[in-house]
Amino acid sequence: MREGKTRYVILGLLSERPMSGYMVKKLVDARFRFFWSESYGQLYPELKALLREGLVEIDDDAALRPEEPVPTPSTAGRRDRIAYRIAPAGREALRRWLDRPAERESVRFEILLKMYFAGQGDRKALQASLREFEAHYATERATLDRYQEELERIPDERGDHRDVLRVIDFGQKSYDAYLAWCRGTFAEWEGR
Amino acid sequence: MREGKTRYVILGLLSERPMSGYMVKKLVDARFRFFWSESYGQLYPELKALLREGLVEIDDDAALRPEEPVPTPSTAGRRDRIAYRIAPAGREALRRWLDRPAERESVRFEILLKMYFAGQGDRKALQASLREFEAHYATERATLDRYQEELERIPDERGDHRDVLRVIDFGQKSYDAYLAWCRGTFAEWEGR
DNA sequence: GGCGGCATGTAAGTTGTTACATGATTAA
DNA sequence: TTAATCATGTAACAACTTACATGCCGCC
């Protein structure tokens, strides 16, 4: 039976600093975007479950001085804001998950499905999809570069920069491969 | 609202030749493995729905001479075998889907999550996962080469070889990127 | 006799998305 | 005043996985 990994995403981020569910979502979107995603519909119920199981705790301190745990986005205009902090049992659970072998990755590329069956449809539509695909990954590739530069500029306080840079490198390398494939495909189509 | 794509996988494969649900599954596993997956639990109910909606039909001919529509696997030892054929309405639906823009791809790499949080866990476990990752994609990469060679050897009867080769090229390029990343990561770890 | 592959299916459960509801604050 | 962003949450649904059940055939 597959285990949900949402909890480990939460636990992993909380292991760095206390934060709210909203902030977990923002961080997943910002940092993990190129290899992971979570929705509020998963995050908030999972946080509740984690609290019930004693893997996380409410951090009132962080809720009172919200400027500290939240670095990037502006802290203006907030509502209730519930800050969570990882509990010892949570650290334990995170460690146990990290020590288990990683499960097989899952990918789904609709555009490849469409390219495979391209003979049955209009080539114009596929071309437009591919251009959209290329533009998207070109933008994302640039975002990764900015992320890398930022990381190399700021001091490595937790000593995790090398690991994070390896993760970023994965994104850069695979996006480069996607973009090279786009160029190759357009070239092939033109010389048809 | 996201639409299920299982039906278009089925319709797309049936547009090439009539076949059974079992064969659809085998073909998805063999050809689409590196960018798509389907389970029997999706395939069989979807085939029923497609039949009910008149997008596919039962092909008794193909069921009676099963050697023809099924090229690769041996046809020995079968049970009932229900062969399906695409109906005109099915071709229409397939075409309409192909003409719509492709949705954003989804990927999920647990190993990158673990690498991001590596500082909290045992490095040995991550190393083992990465070795497993590398071995897996090295094997898959070789499979893609064999697939490509096979395709280039046989005559291009439906005129779709170029599209299929583009799809294979995507797999080759991204797997090369994964493997280069593995080598880079191991190198970084050794010189630590 | 048992295993593996052929072949079809279902039930139960899990996971994940989307749309919605609420409401405060700030900037244009 | 309107949109955006902050912030939390739920309900309904859709998608997907897994385990199981059934049974034939051929091979070792």
Side-chain angles (χ1 to χ4, degrees), chain A:
Chain A
M1 227 169 283
R2 303 190 324 139
E3 231 199 323
K5 283 158 206 101
T6 301
R7 54 174 47 208
Y8 301 113
V9 172
I10 295 172
L11 256 15
L13 288 172
L14 289 185
S15 80
E16 296 182 358
R17 71 176 78 89
M19 65 181 83
S20 63
Y22 185 80
M23 194 47 54
V24 169
K25 167 71 171 154
K26 293 292 118 159
L27 285 179
V28 170
D29 286 352
R31 301 182 180 175
F32 300 167
R33 187 156 29 124
F34 63 97
F35 69 88
W36 203 266
S37 68
E38 297 288 349
S39 67
Y40 288 123
Q42 290 166 267
L43 249 21
Y44 283 116
E46 191 65 29
L47 266 168
K48 275 199 168 173
L50 252 19
L51 195 60
R52 204 173 49 235
E53 295 169 40
L55 303 193
V56 305
E57 294 156 355
I58 300 280
D59 186 323
D60 291 311
D61 283 4
L64 291 174
R65 45 175 172 72
E67 291 73 25
E68 211 200 332
V70 179
T72 327
S74 114
T75 45
R78 88 197 67 82
R79 206 178 70 170
D80 289 5
R81 180 197 275 271
I82 304 165
Y84 295 89
R85 136 174 46 97
I86 193 166
R91 268 189 208 281
E92 204 20 58
L94 176 62
R95 214 185 42 67
R96 275 202 309 276
W97 167 69
L98 283 168
D99 292 352
R100 284 203 297 275
E103 270 169 47
R104 182 92 293 128
E105 30 290 329
S106 81
V107 300
R108 248 149 128 103
F109 285 81
E110 198 192 5
I111 199 170
L112 294 180
L113 225 41
K114 292 196 170 183
M115 192 163 291
Y116 192 96
F117 298 127
Q120 316 291 316
D122 176 20
R123 263 190 148 74
K124 284 268 171 60
L126 181 59
Q127 232 169 81
S129 282
L130 190 61
R131 250 193 284 278
E132 213 280 302
F133 180 95
E134 189 183 31
H136 174 78
Y137 287 103
T139 308
E140 289 294 293
R141 172 63 237 233
T143 305
L144 282 170
D145 281 349
R146 269 186 283 114
Y147 183 13
Q148 185 204 331
E149 278 156 30
E150 197 197 314
L151 207 69
E152 282 169 343
R153 213 180 47 240
I154 63 173
D156 187 4
E157 280 169 5
R158 274 187 307 276
D160 64 349
H161 278 19
R162 295 189 122 195
D163 294 324
V164 176
L165 284 170
R166 284 283 86 216
V167 174
I168 294 172
D169 184 57
F170 182 93
Q172 291 168 326
K173 282 197 165 65
S174 43
Y175 285 7
D176 282 345
Y178 296 177
L179 292 169
W181 173 75
C182 287
R183 285 192 300 275
T185 304
F186 284 128
E188 238 259 341
W189 284 354
E190 269 160 38
R192 184 167 41 131

Side-chain angles (χ1 to χ4, degrees), chain B residues 74-123:
Chain B
S74 116
T75 43
R78 89 198 64 84
R79 206 178 70 170
D80 288 5
R81 182 197 275 270
I82 304 166
Y84 296 88
R85 137 172 48 96
I86 194 167
R91 267 189 210 283
E92 204 20 58
L94 175 63
R95 214 185 43 66
R96 274 202 309 276
W97 168 70
L98 283 167
D99 293 351
R100 283 204 297 273
E103 270 170 48
R104 183 89 295 128
E105 31 291 328
S106 82
V107 301
R108 246 150 129 101
F109 285 82
E110 199 192 3
I111 199 169
L112 294 180
L113 224 41
K114 292 196 170 184
M115 193 164 291
Y116 192 96
F117 298 127
Q120 315 291 317
D122 175 21
R123 258 182 153 80

